[in-house]
Amino acid sequence: MSETTMNLTLKIWRQKNQNEKGRFVTIEAKGISTDMSFLEMLDVVNEDLTRKGEDPIYFDHDCREGICGMCSLYINGQPHGPKHGTTTCQLHMRSFHDGQTIVIEPWRAAAFPVLKDLAVDRTAFDRIQQAGGYVSVNTGGVPDANCLPIPKVKADEAFESATCIGCGACVAACKNASAMLFVSAKISQYALLPQGQAERWSRAQAMVEQMDAEGFGACTVTKACEAECPVGIKLTNIARMNRDYFNAKFFKEETVHH
Amino acid sequence: MSSFKEAFSSTLGKKLVMSLTGLFLCTFLIVHLIGNLQLFKNDEGFAFNQYAYFMTHFGPIKIVSYLLYASIIIHALYALILTLHNKKARPIPYDQKPGNKNAAWNSRNMGILGTVLLVFIATHMANFWWKFHNDQVPYIQYETNIETGQISAIEMPAEEFTDYKEFSQDGVEYVQARDLYKQVEFAFENPILVAFYVLAMVALSFHLIHGFKSAFQSLGFDNKKWIPLVKFLGIYVFGVIIPIGFAAMPLYFFFK
Ligand code: SF4
Ligand code: FES
């Protein structure tokens, strides 16, 4: 594909800080290369703004290669833009056309308050992780190969759940701002492995409790999260979480001790 | 005990309530449809009216019917609680709506579909359940000649009717009953009501195509072997056969 340039109209959410009300601002982006990533396009716009002495657009990013989960833009009605299975940093301007208007919004959720412009506070996810998304019992040193009895299918499934990058697109996409896909992936990655068994039931309870405490919505199985998740986390994780949670609450001895 | 309370006040637990009440209502639909197929019998409501009496006077079924009313109320109430909770989870809406880009229309509009169904249930019960229980339906007497098997039906004046009765006299079997069948015939002469019933069944179809399989998801049931069956039942039985079966009833009487 040959490189061409295009002109775009950006409608961007701008908000000074957590307390102030935000609004949409229209900015023209001229001479954007189709080979640029979406974030590089914003870099160009920001350089322009800085030159003019204006406040650059604040947005989250880090690795810019689709693994850290920091980039978080809601582009034309979809988290991470129109392409499925990709993060905003991996989205290229060739997915848009010359003269197009692009509306960029921050993730919208009560649990993800806007910090500034397009950046939101996602520490709610950290707190959910801290509530139980780890193995705290001593599982010994690095085991010898093939010492742990785990079927390949389970290892694969656990690995797939573990690919969640914590970006929050599932919350952003869900009409209920539900975090179930994220939480269930984090629960599943241990629930499927032998090392995770010791704390399996307390973990499910603790993480669900924290998820509710953060004010995320409930799941209505629209599957928007699955469609928008950049790494393809499956809805079956949510079923597993439900199963583990009810199992823990109704049939197991362990409860969470605060 | 507190573990139970905790479980049911969580978002997952509230969905569990939605799931269980919803599935219970689904099983009711099967029974209701099969029973009401007797409306299609060309017997001036003989079988149907007897069935209506049985369904309202047989102890165990009465208990199930109270469970049913409770399920409807709880299902609607929890839907409301969850909707408010979910609205609170996103206080500032997006400017751009994704529409059908990442989720099916019915999955996003279960509340609207459910509200149509709730209004339908209220109308339906006012038309039949209320009238049947409050003696606002006509009465009928069926006479079966035991020798010839010939059945004739005559309307009974209200003064003569005391209660549902079955007795035989001089080689004739008598059944006196409330004529709910007549009420059905009468109600479905109204084209607006018929149209509303058909519309409600379209809503039912969309509601159940999403709801039935989602109920299993909320329960945590996604066994690879059985999920295809759940999906099949959700679409073809609850999304097609049952709504069409029910919609056929008002249409049958309207065009009869
Ligand atoms: S489940 Fe997918 S969309 Fe949600 S946080 Fe993880 S990677 Fe992002
Ligand atoms: S910046 Fe790291 S995933 Fe996009």
Side-chain angles (χ1 to χ4, degrees), chain A:
Chain A
M1 210 183 288
S2 65
E3 183 192 335
T4 47
T5 60
M6 53 186 179
N7 300 326
L8 300 160
T9 305
L10 307 178
K11 235 184 103 187
I12 298 180
W13 183 261
R14 304 227 51 182
Q15 183 173 337
K16 279 224 171 63
N17 53 47
Q18 277 208 46
N19 309 317
E20 228 158 279
K21 269 187 93 174
R23 67 200 164 86
F24 281 102
V25 172
T26 307
I27 298 172
E28 300 296 329
K30 296 227 166 6
I32 300 297
S33 158
T34 48
D35 285 352
M36 281 181 190
S37 78
F38 200 85
L39 299 186
E40 284 165 343
M41 179 274 290
L42 287 178
D43 289 341
V44 170
V45 171
N46 271 348
E47 273 171 27
D48 211 41
L49 287 175
T50 313
R51 257 196 302 274
K52 282 193 242 162
E54 285 172 40
D55 202 13
I57 301 149
Y58 204 78
F59 62 90
D60 265 337
H61 63 103
D62 190 12
C63 71
R64 296 209 175 191
E65 52 186 14
I67 52 172
C68 76
M70 274 309 279
C71 52
S72 57
L73 307 179
Y74 194 86
I75 304 160
N76 282 349
Q78 282 177 284
H80 297 304
K83 278 188 87 171
H84 284 175
T86 153
T87 53
T88 302
C89 58
Q90 297 287 288
L91 176 71
H92 288 85
M93 295 316 292
R94 50 180 167 270
S95 299
F96 301 88
H97 59 79
D98 191 29
Q100 193 173 347
T101 300
I102 304 175
V103 183
I104 313 170
E105 301 174 69
W107 282 179
R108 294 287 189 203
F112 287 165
V114 172
L115 292 172
K116 184 175 177 175
D117 295 340
L118 301 167
V120 298
D121 178 1
R122 279 172 287 181
T123 48
F125 269 14
D126 300 341
R127 287 189 292 272
I128 294 172
Q129 268 301 70
Q130 283 156 8
Y134 49 78
V135 172
S136 64
V137 289
N138 199 343
T139 55
V142 180
D144 284 339
N146 304 323
C147 264
L148 273 180
I150 168 149
K152 173 108 173 39
V153 276
K154 283 212 166 183
D156 287 351
E157 186 114 2
F159 183 80
E160 268 180 35
S161 302
T163 58
C164 163
I165 55 176
C167 65
C170 42
V171 175
C174 177
K175 77 176 187 54
N176 312 319
S178 170
M180 303 245 178
L181 197 66
F182 165 77
V183 179
S184 67
K186 296 300 174 200
I187 288 177
S188 286
Q189 67 186 15
Y190 296 116
L192 288 159
L193 294 177
Q195 295 94 326
Q197 296 312 307
E199 291 157 299
R200 182 170 183 179
W201 312 111
S202 55
R203 175 183 304 113
Q205 296 180 65
M207 291 181 77
V208 168
E209 239 169 62
Q210 190 60 37
M211 170 181 81
D212 282 353
E214 298 291 347
F216 290 105
C219 176
T220 52
V221 204
T222 68
K223 295 190 186 153
C225 56
E226 189 183 79
E228 297 294 356
C229 173
V231 296
I233 299 294
K234 293 274 167 292
L235 221 64
T236 174
N237 286 287
I238 299 181
R240 185 179 297 110
M241 170 179 69
N242 294 347
R243 206 153 62 225
D244 276 16
Y245 179 77
F246 296 138
N247 228 325
K249 282 286 185 210
F250 300 141
F251 307 114
K252 303 287 173 191
E253 277 174 50
E254 289 95 327
T255 47
V256 195
H257 298 291
H258 295 285

Side-chain angles (χ1 to χ4, degrees), chain B residues 23 32 74 78 96 154 158 163 170 191 196 198 228 231 235 237 244 252:
Chain B
L23 287 176
H32 194 45
I74 294 170
Y78 268 71
Q96 300 289 302
I154 36 166
D163 204 353
D170 308 327
F196 177 59
V198 173
K231 286 192 174 152
I235 295 174
V237 175
I244 287 183
Y252 167 79

Side-chain angles (χ1 to χ4, degrees), chain B residues 208-220:
Chain B
L208 294 187
I209 284 175
H210 178 71
F212 187 74
K213 69 167 187 331
S214 299
F216 285 87
Q217 166 79 5
S218 298
L219 284 176

Side-chain angles (χ1 to χ4, degrees), chain B residues 79-125:
Chain B
L80 188 69
I81 293 171
L82 280 162
T83 306
L84 293 176
H85 173 87
N86 293 343
K87 283 258 172 318
K88 230 177 80 189
R90 176 164 298 135
I92 303 170
Y94 287 111
D95 178 69
Q96 300 289 302
K97 304 278 187 285
N100 293 332
K101 274 185 208 151
N102 52 26
W105 183 86
N106 59 339
S107 78
R108 293 180 286 115
N109 292 282
M110 290 297 275
I112 295 172
L113 293 168
T115 308
V116 171
L117 293 174
L118 199 61
V119 173
F120 167 77
I121 292 169
T123 316
H124 185 55
M125 287 184 78

